[in-house]
Amino acid sequence: GVLVRCNRGTSGIDGSLSSAAGAASGDTAPHFLVIGDLSFFYDMNALWNTNPIGNLRVLLLNNEGGGIFHSLKGVPHDTEGRRFISAEHHASAKAWVEDSGWRYLRADDTASLEAGIAALTDVDAPGPVLLEVFTDKDEDAAHVASVLEGAGNVVNVVNVENDAKAGDEMNDRNE
């Protein structure tokens, strides 16, 4: 079976990488972490971990800022919004990862993504591995919006069904 562990720090950015490093240092099974760029950069000192974490594989999604904010209604997408809300940047994890002794992989297109995923999921590869995938935040926001729109239709159907069931249960109790 697959063991899934989840961690969400304050606002989703605190300690996720540290938690994964700690979990990986506690056993020899492969550990995989999917993390966004802001979460990674806020917690990248976890790469200094001196405990053995050669079984840790990290998929870093880098859209140059808190791209999730571009899919939220009411958040300004102007220069100030990108600067102060989504913390837009042009950083890469490459130097920090390599200086920490990790294997660094980069994906900018489908071919490099497929090769990177194959290398990242090779549990026999020595040492920790990080695959940094660069995406476009505006395309990401459009994709998230379309997924949420589709999910909203499903959620509304489920809510209607649940509301109907709850109404029936209340009627049964009142009779």
Side-chain angles (χ1 to χ4, degrees), residues 17-18 37 39-49 53 58 60 62 91-105 128-130 132:
L17 184 58
S18 291
D37 51 352
S39 295
F40 176 85
F41 291 128
Y42 285 138
D43 195 25
M44 65 187 181
N45 60 335
L47 300 181
W48 287 346
N49 191 324
I53 52 173
V58 176
L60 168 57
N62 188 341
S92 169
K94 183 179 192 312
W96 192 267
V97 168
E98 290 179 340
D99 284 350
S100 298
W102 286 50
R103 181 177 176 201
Y104 175 84
L105 305 167
V129 179
L130 181 136
E132 186 170 19

mmCIF file of all heavy atoms in Angstrom, residues 17-18 37 39-49 53 58 60 62 91-105 128-130 132:
data_model
loop_
_atom_site.group_PDB
_atom_site.id
_atom_site.type_symbol
_atom_site.label_atom_id
_atom_site.label_comp_id
_atom_site.label_asym_id
_atom_site.label_seq_id
_atom_site.Cartn_x
_atom_site.Cartn_y
_atom_site.Cartn_z
ATOM 1 N N LEU A 17 8.529 21.344 3.748
ATOM 2 C CA LEU A 17 9.778 20.692 3.354
ATOM 3 C C LEU A 17 10.480 20.089 4.567
ATOM 4 O O LEU A 17 10.977 18.958 4.510
ATOM 5 C CB LEU A 17 10.689 21.695 2.630
ATOM 6 C CG LEU A 17 11.999 21.176 2.072
ATOM 7 C CD1 LEU A 17 11.776 20.032 1.087
ATOM 8 C CD2 LEU A 17 12.768 22.313 1.387
ATOM 9 N N SER A 18 10.495 20.807 5.673
ATOM 10 C CA SER A 18 11.097 20.279 6.907
ATOM 11 C C SER A 18 10.371 19.031 7.392
ATOM 12 O O SER A 18 11.003 18.069 7.830
ATOM 13 C CB SER A 18 11.076 21.339 8.013
ATOM 14 O OG SER A 18 11.948 22.394 7.721
ATOM 15 N N ASP A 37 6.535 26.857 -5.098
ATOM 16 C CA ASP A 37 7.773 27.619 -4.969
ATOM 17 C C ASP A 37 7.839 28.449 -3.688
ATOM 18 O O ASP A 37 8.864 28.441 -3.002
ATOM 19 C CB ASP A 37 8.028 28.486 -6.203
ATOM 20 C CG ASP A 37 6.852 29.353 -6.612
ATOM 21 O OD1 ASP A 37 5.767 29.205 -6.054
ATOM 22 O OD2 ASP A 37 7.043 30.180 -7.528
ATOM 23 N N SER A 39 6.303 27.984 -0.799
ATOM 24 C CA SER A 39 6.466 27.063 0.329
ATOM 25 C C SER A 39 7.900 26.546 0.395
ATOM 26 O O SER A 39 8.494 26.460 1.469
ATOM 27 C CB SER A 39 5.512 25.875 0.198
ATOM 28 O OG SER A 39 4.191 26.289 0.284
ATOM 29 N N PHE A 40 8.450 26.203 -0.769
ATOM 30 C CA PHE A 40 9.822 25.707 -0.815
ATOM 31 C C PHE A 40 10.806 26.775 -0.357
ATOM 32 O O PHE A 40 11.647 26.533 0.504
ATOM 33 C CB PHE A 40 10.177 25.243 -2.230
ATOM 34 C CG PHE A 40 11.615 24.815 -2.350
ATOM 35 C CD1 PHE A 40 11.986 23.524 -2.008
ATOM 36 C CD2 PHE A 40 12.590 25.704 -2.767
ATOM 37 C CE1 PHE A 40 13.316 23.129 -2.082
ATOM 38 C CE2 PHE A 40 13.918 25.321 -2.848
ATOM 39 C CZ PHE A 40 14.283 24.033 -2.507
ATOM 40 N N PHE A 41 10.735 27.971 -0.946
ATOM 41 C CA PHE A 41 11.720 29.012 -0.630
ATOM 42 C C PHE A 41 11.630 29.479 0.814
ATOM 43 O O PHE A 41 12.645 29.823 1.415
ATOM 44 C CB PHE A 41 11.610 30.187 -1.607
ATOM 45 C CG PHE A 41 12.060 29.835 -3.004
ATOM 46 C CD1 PHE A 41 11.242 30.089 -4.081
ATOM 47 C CD2 PHE A 41 13.284 29.228 -3.232
ATOM 48 C CE1 PHE A 41 11.646 29.758 -5.374
ATOM 49 C CE2 PHE A 41 13.693 28.880 -4.514
ATOM 50 C CZ PHE A 41 12.877 29.149 -5.583
ATOM 51 N N TYR A 42 10.425 29.483 1.407
ATOM 52 C CA TYR A 42 10.289 29.853 2.810
ATOM 53 C C TYR A 42 10.934 28.821 3.736
ATOM 54 O O TYR A 42 11.277 29.139 4.866
ATOM 55 C CB TYR A 42 8.823 30.033 3.203
ATOM 56 C CG TYR A 42 8.197 31.315 2.707
ATOM 57 C CD1 TYR A 42 6.921 31.316 2.181
ATOM 58 C CD2 TYR A 42 8.869 32.532 2.770
ATOM 59 C CE1 TYR A 42 6.330 32.487 1.722
ATOM 60 C CE2 TYR A 42 8.292 33.697 2.315
ATOM 61 C CZ TYR A 42 7.023 33.677 1.791
ATOM 62 O OH TYR A 42 6.441 34.824 1.344
ATOM 63 N N ASP A 43 11.072 27.596 3.286
ATOM 64 C CA ASP A 43 11.538 26.509 4.159
ATOM 65 C C ASP A 43 12.769 25.796 3.594
ATOM 66 O O ASP A 43 13.099 24.699 4.009
ATOM 67 C CB ASP A 43 10.393 25.500 4.352
ATOM 68 C CG ASP A 43 10.627 24.540 5.502
ATOM 69 O OD1 ASP A 43 11.374 24.880 6.447
ATOM 70 O OD2 ASP A 43 10.054 23.437 5.460
ATOM 71 N N MET A 44 13.491 26.430 2.657
ATOM 72 C CA MET A 44 14.578 25.720 1.977
ATOM 73 C C MET A 44 15.769 25.401 2.871
ATOM 74 O O MET A 44 16.599 24.570 2.523
ATOM 75 C CB MET A 44 15.019 26.467 0.733
ATOM 76 C CG MET A 44 15.631 27.799 0.950
ATOM 77 S SD MET A 44 15.867 28.570 -0.659
ATOM 78 C CE MET A 44 16.623 30.092 -0.155
ATOM 79 N N ASN A 45 15.845 25.996 4.049
ATOM 80 C CA ASN A 45 16.918 25.617 4.971
ATOM 81 C C ASN A 45 16.789 24.166 5.430
ATOM 82 O O ASN A 45 17.725 23.603 5.981
ATOM 83 C CB ASN A 45 16.975 26.565 6.164
ATOM 84 C CG ASN A 45 15.701 26.583 6.969
ATOM 85 O OD1 ASN A 45 14.624 26.282 6.443
ATOM 86 N ND2 ASN A 45 15.805 26.929 8.233
ATOM 87 N N ALA A 46 15.655 23.537 5.156
ATOM 88 C CA ALA A 46 15.492 22.115 5.479
ATOM 89 C C ALA A 46 16.471 21.253 4.686
ATOM 90 O O ALA A 46 16.781 20.128 5.087
ATOM 91 C CB ALA A 46 14.064 21.658 5.200
ATOM 92 N N LEU A 47 16.976 21.774 3.567
ATOM 93 C CA LEU A 47 17.948 21.014 2.779
ATOM 94 C C LEU A 47 19.274 20.853 3.511
ATOM 95 O O LEU A 47 20.081 20.008 3.150
ATOM 96 C CB LEU A 47 18.184 21.703 1.421
ATOM 97 C CG LEU A 47 16.971 21.865 0.520
ATOM 98 C CD1 LEU A 47 17.372 22.535 -0.783
ATOM 99 C CD2 LEU A 47 16.295 20.543 0.246
ATOM 100 N N TRP A 48 19.498 21.664 4.526
ATOM 101 C CA TRP A 48 20.715 21.536 5.325
ATOM 102 C C TRP A 48 20.652 20.347 6.270
ATOM 103 O O TRP A 48 21.613 20.051 6.957
ATOM 104 C CB TRP A 48 20.927 22.780 6.177
ATOM 105 C CG TRP A 48 21.372 24.000 5.440
ATOM 106 C CD1 TRP A 48 21.856 24.071 4.168
ATOM 107 C CD2 TRP A 48 21.369 25.320 5.956
ATOM 108 N NE1 TRP A 48 22.145 25.367 3.863
ATOM 109 C CE2 TRP A 48 21.860 26.161 4.937
ATOM 110 C CE3 TRP A 48 20.995 25.880 7.168
ATOM 111 C CZ2 TRP A 48 22.003 27.537 5.106
ATOM 112 C CZ3 TRP A 48 21.127 27.247 7.326
ATOM 113 C CH2 TRP A 48 21.631 28.053 6.305
ATOM 114 N N ASN A 49 19.535 19.681 6.322
ATOM 115 C CA ASN A 49 19.325 18.563 7.228
ATOM 116 C C ASN A 49 20.526 17.608 7.173
ATOM 117 O O ASN A 49 20.901 17.133 6.108
ATOM 118 C CB ASN A 49 18.047 17.826 6.824
ATOM 119 C CG ASN A 49 17.599 16.825 7.844
ATOM 120 O OD1 ASN A 49 18.409 16.168 8.483
ATOM 121 N ND2 ASN A 49 16.308 16.690 7.985
ATOM 122 N N ILE A 53 18.691 11.660 4.236
ATOM 123 C CA ILE A 53 17.398 11.800 3.572
ATOM 124 C C ILE A 53 17.538 11.469 2.086
ATOM 125 O O ILE A 53 16.899 12.076 1.235
ATOM 126 C CB ILE A 53 16.778 13.202 3.782
ATOM 127 C CG1 ILE A 53 17.759 14.310 3.414
ATOM 128 C CG2 ILE A 53 16.237 13.355 5.176
ATOM 129 C CD1 ILE A 53 17.157 15.708 3.450
ATOM 130 N N VAL A 58 11.596 15.400 -4.300
ATOM 131 C CA VAL A 58 10.777 16.602 -4.232
ATOM 132 C C VAL A 58 10.415 17.066 -5.637
ATOM 133 O O VAL A 58 11.281 17.236 -6.489
ATOM 134 C CB VAL A 58 11.520 17.737 -3.481
ATOM 135 C CG1 VAL A 58 10.702 19.022 -3.507
ATOM 136 C CG2 VAL A 58 11.836 17.315 -2.050
ATOM 137 N N LEU A 60 9.043 20.260 -7.223
ATOM 138 C CA LEU A 60 8.862 21.677 -6.932
ATOM 139 C C LEU A 60 8.184 22.349 -8.119
ATOM 140 O O LEU A 60 8.727 22.371 -9.220
ATOM 141 C CB LEU A 60 10.224 22.331 -6.657
ATOM 142 C CG LEU A 60 10.285 23.853 -6.605
ATOM 143 C CD1 LEU A 60 9.338 24.427 -5.565
ATOM 144 C CD2 LEU A 60 11.718 24.291 -6.330
ATOM 145 N N ASN A 62 7.258 25.596 -9.788
ATOM 146 C CA ASN A 62 7.701 26.988 -9.733
ATOM 147 C C ASN A 62 6.998 27.803 -10.806
ATOM 148 O O ASN A 62 7.328 27.709 -11.978
ATOM 149 C CB ASN A 62 9.219 27.062 -9.913
ATOM 150 C CG ASN A 62 9.756 28.464 -9.674
ATOM 151 O OD1 ASN A 62 9.033 29.445 -9.721
ATOM 152 N ND2 ASN A 62 11.048 28.546 -9.410
ATOM 153 N N ALA A 91 13.182 33.456 -9.108
ATOM 154 C CA ALA A 91 14.202 32.618 -8.469
ATOM 155 C C ALA A 91 14.095 31.168 -8.925
ATOM 156 O O ALA A 91 13.042 30.707 -9.341
ATOM 157 C CB ALA A 91 14.056 32.692 -6.947
ATOM 158 N N SER A 92 15.208 30.494 -8.808
ATOM 159 C CA SER A 92 15.273 29.055 -9.053
ATOM 160 C C SER A 92 15.924 28.404 -7.845
ATOM 161 O O SER A 92 16.761 29.014 -7.170
ATOM 162 C CB SER A 92 16.109 28.767 -10.309
ATOM 163 O OG SER A 92 16.380 27.380 -10.403
ATOM 164 N N ALA A 93 15.584 27.172 -7.612
ATOM 165 C CA ALA A 93 16.147 26.426 -6.483
ATOM 166 C C ALA A 93 17.496 25.789 -6.809
ATOM 167 O O ALA A 93 18.141 25.233 -5.925
ATOM 168 C CB ALA A 93 15.164 25.345 -6.044
ATOM 169 N N LYS A 94 17.926 25.856 -8.046
ATOM 170 C CA LYS A 94 19.091 25.109 -8.537
ATOM 171 C C LYS A 94 20.335 25.253 -7.655
ATOM 172 O O LYS A 94 20.883 24.260 -7.182
ATOM 173 C CB LYS A 94 19.422 25.527 -9.963
ATOM 174 C CG LYS A 94 20.572 24.740 -10.586
ATOM 175 C CD LYS A 94 20.825 25.212 -12.011
ATOM 176 C CE LYS A 94 21.725 24.346 -12.821
ATOM 177 N NZ LYS A 94 22.958 23.898 -12.278
ATOM 178 N N ALA A 95 20.807 26.467 -7.445
ATOM 179 C CA ALA A 95 22.056 26.663 -6.697
ATOM 180 C C ALA A 95 21.934 26.157 -5.264
ATOM 181 O O ALA A 95 22.834 25.482 -4.760
ATOM 182 C CB ALA A 95 22.457 28.136 -6.713
ATOM 183 N N TRP A 96 20.808 26.467 -4.620
ATOM 184 C CA TRP A 96 20.613 26.054 -3.229
ATOM 185 C C TRP A 96 20.577 24.526 -3.133
ATOM 186 O O TRP A 96 21.196 23.936 -2.246
ATOM 187 C CB TRP A 96 19.314 26.656 -2.700
ATOM 188 C CG TRP A 96 19.156 26.546 -1.214
ATOM 189 C CD1 TRP A 96 18.524 25.551 -0.535
ATOM 190 C CD2 TRP A 96 19.650 27.437 -0.227
ATOM 191 N NE1 TRP A 96 18.578 25.772 0.815
ATOM 192 C CE2 TRP A 96 19.272 26.930 1.038
ATOM 193 C CE3 TRP A 96 20.381 28.623 -0.273
ATOM 194 C CZ2 TRP A 96 19.593 27.567 2.231
ATOM 195 C CZ3 TRP A 96 20.690 29.260 0.915
ATOM 196 C CH2 TRP A 96 20.301 28.737 2.148
ATOM 197 N N VAL A 97 19.878 23.892 -4.041
ATOM 198 C CA VAL A 97 19.743 22.436 -4.044
ATOM 199 C C VAL A 97 21.101 21.773 -4.278
ATOM 200 O O VAL A 97 21.504 20.862 -3.550
ATOM 201 C CB VAL A 97 18.709 21.997 -5.111
ATOM 202 C CG1 VAL A 97 18.756 20.502 -5.349
ATOM 203 C CG2 VAL A 97 17.316 22.427 -4.689
ATOM 204 N N GLU A 98 21.804 22.235 -5.293
ATOM 205 C CA GLU A 98 23.111 21.635 -5.607
ATOM 206 C C GLU A 98 24.132 21.904 -4.512
ATOM 207 O O GLU A 98 24.926 21.016 -4.174
ATOM 208 C CB GLU A 98 23.607 22.143 -6.960
ATOM 209 C CG GLU A 98 22.798 21.592 -8.113
ATOM 210 C CD GLU A 98 23.244 22.088 -9.476
ATOM 211 O OE1 GLU A 98 23.920 23.138 -9.561
ATOM 212 O OE2 GLU A 98 22.904 21.421 -10.465
ATOM 213 N N ASP A 99 24.106 23.106 -3.920
ATOM 214 C CA ASP A 99 25.027 23.405 -2.811
ATOM 215 C C ASP A 99 24.756 22.527 -1.598
ATOM 216 O O ASP A 99 25.651 22.292 -0.786
ATOM 217 C CB ASP A 99 24.914 24.876 -2.397
ATOM 218 C CG ASP A 99 25.600 25.817 -3.370
ATOM 219 O OD1 ASP A 99 26.328 25.336 -4.270
ATOM 220 O OD2 ASP A 99 25.390 27.045 -3.246
ATOM 221 N N SER A 100 23.535 22.037 -1.482
ATOM 222 C CA SER A 100 23.165 21.160 -0.366
ATOM 223 C C SER A 100 23.428 19.688 -0.671
ATOM 224 O O SER A 100 23.107 18.821 0.136
ATOM 225 C CB SER A 100 21.684 21.365 -0.014
ATOM 226 O OG SER A 100 21.468 22.692 0.409
ATOM 227 N N GLY A 101 23.990 19.399 -1.857
ATOM 228 C CA GLY A 101 24.353 18.024 -2.191
ATOM 229 C C GLY A 101 23.245 17.195 -2.818
ATOM 230 O O GLY A 101 23.366 15.979 -2.914
ATOM 231 N N TRP A 102 22.180 17.839 -3.227
ATOM 232 C CA TRP A 102 21.065 17.141 -3.866
ATOM 233 C C TRP A 102 21.274 17.081 -5.369
ATOM 234 O O TRP A 102 21.946 17.926 -5.958
ATOM 235 C CB TRP A 102 19.771 17.893 -3.613
ATOM 236 C CG TRP A 102 19.207 17.779 -2.229
ATOM 237 C CD1 TRP A 102 19.857 17.976 -1.048
ATOM 238 C CD2 TRP A 102 17.863 17.489 -1.901
ATOM 239 N NE1 TRP A 102 18.995 17.821 -0.002
ATOM 240 C CE2 TRP A 102 17.756 17.521 -0.504
ATOM 241 C CE3 TRP A 102 16.731 17.213 -2.651
ATOM 242 C CZ2 TRP A 102 16.579 17.285 0.171
ATOM 243 C CZ3 TRP A 102 15.543 16.977 -1.991
ATOM 244 C CH2 TRP A 102 15.475 17.003 -0.589
ATOM 245 N N ARG A 103 20.635 16.124 -5.992
ATOM 246 C CA ARG A 103 20.587 16.075 -7.455
ATOM 247 C C ARG A 103 19.479 17.015 -7.908
ATOM 248 O O ARG A 103 18.348 16.928 -7.421
ATOM 249 C CB ARG A 103 20.310 14.658 -7.939
ATOM 250 C CG ARG A 103 20.270 14.550 -9.456
ATOM 251 C CD ARG A 103 20.063 13.130 -9.897
ATOM 252 N NE ARG A 103 19.934 13.064 -11.347
ATOM 253 C CZ ARG A 103 19.366 12.069 -11.987
ATOM 254 N NH1 ARG A 103 18.882 11.027 -11.318
ATOM 255 N NH2 ARG A 103 19.281 12.087 -13.299
ATOM 256 N N TYR A 104 19.791 17.910 -8.850
ATOM 257 C CA TYR A 104 18.829 18.889 -9.339
ATOM 258 C C TYR A 104 18.433 18.564 -10.768
ATOM 259 O O TYR A 104 19.284 18.318 -11.623
ATOM 260 C CB TYR A 104 19.418 20.305 -9.286
ATOM 261 C CG TYR A 104 18.513 21.348 -9.894
ATOM 262 C CD1 TYR A 104 17.493 21.921 -9.136
ATOM 263 C CD2 TYR A 104 18.669 21.751 -11.218
ATOM 264 C CE1 TYR A 104 16.645 22.873 -9.693
ATOM 265 C CE2 TYR A 104 17.820 22.704 -11.779
ATOM 266 C CZ TYR A 104 16.819 23.262 -11.016
ATOM 267 O OH TYR A 104 15.985 24.200 -11.567
ATOM 268 N N LEU A 105 17.136 18.575 -11.015
ATOM 269 C CA LEU A 105 16.598 18.376 -12.359
ATOM 270 C C LEU A 105 15.657 19.541 -12.667
ATOM 271 O O LEU A 105 15.012 20.077 -11.767
ATOM 272 C CB LEU A 105 15.805 17.067 -12.433
ATOM 273 C CG LEU A 105 16.545 15.802 -11.991
ATOM 274 C CD1 LEU A 105 15.562 14.653 -11.802
ATOM 275 C CD2 LEU A 105 17.613 15.449 -13.005
ATOM 276 N N PRO A 128 19.133 12.369 -2.345
ATOM 277 C CA PRO A 128 17.874 13.084 -2.548
ATOM 278 C C PRO A 128 17.845 13.749 -3.928
ATOM 279 O O PRO A 128 18.886 14.126 -4.468
ATOM 280 C CB PRO A 128 17.869 14.123 -1.429
ATOM 281 C CG PRO A 128 19.292 14.327 -1.066
ATOM 282 C CD PRO A 128 19.987 13.028 -1.347
ATOM 283 N N VAL A 129 16.634 13.878 -4.484
ATOM 284 C CA VAL A 129 16.463 14.435 -5.827
ATOM 285 C C VAL A 129 15.368 15.487 -5.784
ATOM 286 O O VAL A 129 14.338 15.298 -5.131
ATOM 287 C CB VAL A 129 16.063 13.327 -6.837
ATOM 288 C CG1 VAL A 129 15.869 13.908 -8.227
ATOM 289 C CG2 VAL A 129 17.095 12.208 -6.855
ATOM 290 N N LEU A 130 15.585 16.595 -6.506
ATOM 291 C CA LEU A 130 14.562 17.622 -6.647
ATOM 292 C C LEU A 130 14.357 17.916 -8.128
ATOM 293 O O LEU A 130 15.317 18.143 -8.856
ATOM 294 C CB LEU A 130 14.968 18.919 -5.932
ATOM 295 C CG LEU A 130 13.923 20.038 -6.008
ATOM 296 C CD1 LEU A 130 13.746 20.713 -4.653
ATOM 297 C CD2 LEU A 130 14.281 21.064 -7.063
ATOM 298 N N GLU A 132 12.528 20.599 -10.432
ATOM 299 C CA GLU A 132 11.879 21.910 -10.452
ATOM 300 C C GLU A 132 11.173 22.074 -11.793
ATOM 301 O O GLU A 132 11.815 22.068 -12.846
ATOM 302 C CB GLU A 132 12.909 23.021 -10.249
ATOM 303 C CG GLU A 132 12.308 24.393 -10.106
ATOM 304 C CD GLU A 132 13.318 25.450 -9.653
ATOM 305 O OE1 GLU A 132 14.543 25.232 -9.783
ATOM 306 O OE2 GLU A 132 12.867 26.500 -9.163
#
